[in-house]
Amino acid sequence: MEKPVQSADTRSAAGSPPQAGTPPAVEMRDITMMFGSFKANDQARLTVPACSVHAILGENGAGKSTLMNVLYGLLQPDSGEIYIKGKKVTIDSPAKAIEYGIGMVHQHFMLVPPFTVTENIILGMEPVRGFAAVVDQARARAEVQSLSDRYDLKVDAAAKVEDISVSMQQRVEILKVLYRGADILILDEPTASLTPQEIEELGMIMKNLVKEGKTVIIITHKLAEIKAMAAECTIIRAGKTIDTVKVADVSEQDLASMMVGRAVEFTTAKQEAHPGEVVLRVENLVVKDYWNHPAVNGLSLTVRAGEIVGIAGVDGNGQSELVAALTGLRKCVSGIVTVNGIDIFNRNPRAIFETGVSSIPEDRQKHGLVMDFFVSENMVLQNVGEQRFSSRGFLKMNSILSHTNALIDRFDVRPRSSAVQRAGSLSGGNQQKVIIAREVTNNKDLLICVNPTRGLDVGAIEYVHRYIVAQRDAGKAVLLVSFELSEIMNLSDRIDVMFRGKITGSVKGSEAEQSALGLLMAGGAQSGASAPGNRTQGGAA
C-alpha cells in the first residue's frame, strides 16, 4: 500500500501543535482488553496529535504496553474504536498496522544477531533484481544508509548486529519501521537500557523524526525524559485513562502523583551507615571480555556489613564483567575474591550462592528468570531443594504457591491471573519485581544489585530503594551497580567510580556531587576523592 506523503506545512516540532483542522494521528476510544476476568484496559482513551512526541505514563501492569499492542494489531480488543488520521480503522494484525503507517519498536529488540544491519532492516521486504529474484544487496545497503543519513541515526549499514551497542540496535529497530514506511512510531521503554548520553541522542533522533513529519509515541516510566522529550502525556492507572496533560504545565511530582494515585518521595530517607566487618573483598582482579581483552584490569574493592557501596561509571567500563565474575558467570584470570573470608574465586554460581551471595542480574531474561516457567517456579529456583518446598524428590506445590502469593502481595507483582502464569507473559517491570522479591528475601550476607529498578515505575522504585536500605540496616552488605547516577547518589554510603576496568576514585555518598562524579567517570581526577591505592577504612584494603 502506497502511503500519502505528508506535506511540510502540516509538520511541527515536538511540543508544537499541528495546524488547526489537522486530525489527530491516533485516536483510541473506549478500548477494553480482557484476559480472562482481568481487565488490562478499561475503556482506555488516547488522542495523539500529528507530528509530535506523545508520552504514555503508568505503573508496571497499568496497561500501557497492552494498549499499544492493540494499536499495533498484536492484540484484538473486546470493545472500542481506533481512528488513524481521522479515519476509523480495524487493525487485526501487525501487517495491517504497517499498512496504516504504524511501526513499533519493542522493549526487547527483535533482531537477528548474526545478520548485518541491512539484512535485519530489509528482512521480509528484500529488494530483488533479475529473473532469479536475487537480493540486491548494494541497493539495499544504499537505501538503508540513505535513511540513516536522513534521520541522522549514524548507523553502519554493513555492521553485524551482534557487534554493535544496545543504543545502535535500537536505532536499527527504528530504521526497520521507517523502511516499512511508518509515519507513527511506537517506542516501548526506549531508554531502559541506554546511558545518559545515549538518551540525549535518542531525544535528538525523536526531534528529527518529528521535523520529518513523523508522530512518536513513547511508553516510559522516566519522568525527566517525559519533561525533556514529550509535548503531551497520557496517564494510565489500572487500565483506565486518568488524564492527558501538556507536559510544560506539570511538574515531575505532579506526573508521579497522577500515575500512582498518591504522593511519591523521590529521595530515600536513611540513617548514616555504621559499617562492620568486611563481607566482600576483591583484590587485583583481572577478568577478560568476549574478545579476550582485560575488561576488569587490576580492580580492588571491599564491601562491609551494613553499608551500600555504589559502582558508578559509564556503561562498558567493565561493570558487567565484574558482576559476572562475582556471581560465577565468567571466569577470572587472576586476583582474590572472598566472601566472609571464604575464597569464591572461579567458583560456580551455586557454590557462590551457598557461600552467602544473592544477586539481581543485569539481564533479567537471560540470567534472572526461566521465561517458560511459572512465576511460582521462578520464585523458588534457588531454594527448591529446601524441605519447606520439596520432600524426597516431590515438590510441595501448596507451600510453593503460598510462598509465591505472599511475595506477589508484598512486592506488588501484577500477573494477569495467578502465580501459575508464565514469567514470559509478565511486563518487563513485573518480571523485575519477581527477581527482586526472590533475591532480597534469600537472606544472604551480600546482595549484588545491578540496575535493580530498570523498567520500574516511580512508585515501585521508591519501594525497592527502601527495601535495599532495609537490607543494609539489617546488617547486610550491598554492592549496587547502576547506570542511573541519581540512583547511585540516592542510595550509596560510598561511591566507587569505575573507569577502564579499575576503581579510579572513591567518595562518601553524602558528599558526592554529580559534576565531580561525572569527571571521575570520564577518567579525570577529583581532589576530594581517594585514589584506589589510598582508601579510607571503607575502601579497598
Side-chain angles (χ1 to χ4, degrees):
M1 177 180 175
E2 187 174 347
K3 300 188 294 82
V5 177
Q6 190 169 19
S7 60
D9 61 355
T10 66
R11 299 175 184 178
S12 63
S16 302
Q19 288 191 348
T22 303
V26 174
E27 189 174 2
M28 304 180 77
R29 301 179 185 175
D30 300 325
I31 300 296
T32 296
M33 184 73 225
M34 304 287 295
F35 295 97
S37 61
F38 175 73
K39 277 187 182 180
N41 293 136
D42 187 359
Q43 294 187 313
R45 304 179 311 280
L46 175 68
T47 300
V48 181
C51 307
S52 69
V53 178
H54 191 102
I56 301 179
L57 177 67
E59 294 181 275
N60 300 122
K64 310 179 299 298
S65 294
T66 300
L67 188 64
M68 290 300 94
N69 284 335
V70 168
L71 179 59
Y72 191 56
L74 289 169
L75 296 171
Q76 310 310 311
D78 293 274
S79 62
E81 299 175 337
I82 300 175
Y83 293 79
I84 302 298
K85 299 175 184 176
K87 178 184 176 182
K88 184 178 178 180
V89 298
T90 298
I91 304 176
D92 53 12
S93 68
K96 184 64 71 173
I98 291 168
E99 281 187 26
Y100 289 117
I102 303 169
M104 187 168 184
V105 176
H106 299 273
Q107 182 178 354
H108 301 289
F109 303 148
M110 298 182 179
L111 300 172
V112 184
F115 282 16
T116 66
V117 166
T118 296
E119 288 167 341
N120 271 278
I121 290 170
I122 67 173
L123 193 60
M125 295 187 65
E126 298 88 344
V128 296
R129 57 181 169 81
F131 293 108
V134 177
V135 175
D136 192 337
Q137 294 282 0
R139 176 183 159 196
R141 277 196 300 273
E143 289 177 354
V144 168
Q145 202 62 59
S146 176
L147 268 178
S148 176
D149 295 342
R150 177 179 175 183
Y151 295 101
D152 199 26
L153 289 167
K154 300 175 182 175
V155 169
D156 180 359
K160 285 189 176 182
V161 164
E162 62 189 359
D163 294 333
I164 62 178
S165 67
V166 172
S167 66
M168 283 296 169
Q169 290 179 33
Q170 184 178 71
R171 296 180 189 203
V172 174
E173 288 281 20
I174 292 172
L175 278 171
K176 270 174 62 178
V177 299
L178 292 173
Y179 184 80
R180 285 154 178 76
D183 287 326
I184 301 165
L185 286 78
I186 305 166
L187 308 184
D188 190 357
E189 298 289 353
T191 63
S193 301
L194 303 186
T195 64
Q197 296 90 335
E198 290 167 342
I199 291 170
E200 287 185 18
E201 291 172 2
L202 178 62
M204 293 304 300
I205 289 169
M206 289 185 191
K207 289 180 180 179
N208 289 337
L209 290 168
V210 169
K211 287 177 183 178
E212 290 287 338
K214 307 299 183 184
T215 301
V216 181
I217 304 173
I218 57 171
I219 305 171
T220 183
H221 298 112
K222 298 185 179 181
L223 306 178
E225 289 162 23
I226 291 176
K227 292 287 291 180
M229 297 177 181
E232 292 186 351
C233 177
T234 294
I235 299 96
I236 297 177
R237 191 193 315 148
K240 296 182 179 181
T241 300
I242 301 302
D243 201 357
T244 295
V245 297
K246 293 188 180 300
V247 171
D249 296 341
V250 294
S251 66
E252 290 183 32
Q253 187 68 57
D254 294 332
L255 290 170
S257 298
M258 284 187 284
M259 178 174 67
V260 301
R262 60 174 176 83
V264 176
E265 295 294 333
F266 287 171
T267 58
T268 304
K270 57 183 172 59
Q271 301 296 321
E272 186 174 353
H274 299 285
E277 296 297 318
V278 171
V279 175
L280 173 67
R281 181 183 298 278
V282 180
E283 295 182 10
N284 298 318
L285 186 67
V286 176
V287 184
K288 292 188 176 180
D289 60 19
Y290 286 111
W291 296 273
N292 207 33
H293 300 137
V296 179
N297 194 11
L299 178 143
S300 297
L301 64 84
T302 59
V303 186
R304 299 175 181 270
E307 74 169 345
I308 301 171
V309 174
I311 301 291
V314 177
D315 189 13
N317 277 277
Q319 300 97 318
S320 296
E321 289 82 2
L322 171 63
V323 172
L326 295 179
T327 54
L329 296 177
R330 181 175 288 276
K331 292 293 184 182
C332 310
V333 176
S334 60
I336 297 172
V337 185
T338 64
V339 172
N340 290 327
I342 301 172
D343 182 12
I344 65 166
F345 184 85
N346 282 345
R347 301 289 298 277
N348 63 55
R350 183 69 196 180
I352 292 174
F353 175 78
E354 291 177 348
T355 303
V357 181
S358 194
S359 65
I360 299 168
E362 179 177 9
D363 190 327
R364 57 177 167 248
Q365 294 196 349
K366 185 183 292 185
H367 298 133
L369 298 168
V370 181
M371 304 301 284
D372 287 335
F373 279 18
F374 296 139
V375 172
S376 57
E377 293 168 329
N378 275 284
M379 284 289 196
V380 298
L381 277 179
Q382 301 128 311
N383 308 309
V384 72
E386 295 180 10
Q387 188 174 359
R388 57 177 172 156
F389 297 134
S390 64
S391 176
R392 298 180 181 179
F394 292 94
L395 297 178
K396 297 179 180 179
M397 294 308 303
N398 288 339
S399 296
I400 293 174
L401 290 174
S402 176
H403 172 76
T404 300
N405 286 326
L407 291 183
I408 283 174
D409 291 340
R410 183 175 170 186
F411 288 86
D412 193 28
V413 182
R414 300 183 184 182
R416 292 183 186 135
S417 53
S418 68
V420 291
Q421 179 181 344
R422 298 194 187 280
S425 67
L426 296 178
S427 67
N430 279 297
Q431 290 174 8
Q432 188 77 351
K433 288 182 181 180
V434 170
I435 296 169
I436 292 169
R438 182 186 67 212
E439 298 300 327
V440 301
T441 56
N442 274 330
N443 197 31
K444 298 297 182 180
D445 293 328
L446 172 65
L447 175 63
I448 300 175
C449 307
V450 187
N451 296 321
T453 58
R454 175 175 286 174
L456 298 184
D457 59 70
V458 290
I461 290 171
E462 177 188 37
Y463 184 87
V464 170
H465 283 180
R466 286 179 181 174
Y467 209 99
I468 290 173
V469 172
Q471 292 285 287
R472 180 206 73 168
D473 293 343
K476 310 299 184 185
V478 180
L479 179 64
L480 171 66
V481 180
S482 176
F483 301 131
E484 297 284 352
L485 192 53
S486 59
E487 183 166 63
I488 291 286
M489 295 178 69
N490 183 28
L491 292 179
S492 302
D493 301 305
R494 177 164 50 86
I495 302 173
D496 286 356
V497 179
M498 194 167 175
F499 178 73
R500 292 183 179 175
K502 294 183 178 181
I503 301 299
T504 57
S506 183
V507 297
K508 193 174 180 179
S510 59
E511 299 172 358
E513 296 181 356
Q514 186 165 336
S515 58
L517 287 174
L519 183 62
L520 285 168
M521 289 164 63
Q526 173 64 23
S527 59
S530 59
N534 185 28
R535 298 284 180 82
T536 58
Q537 182 182 3

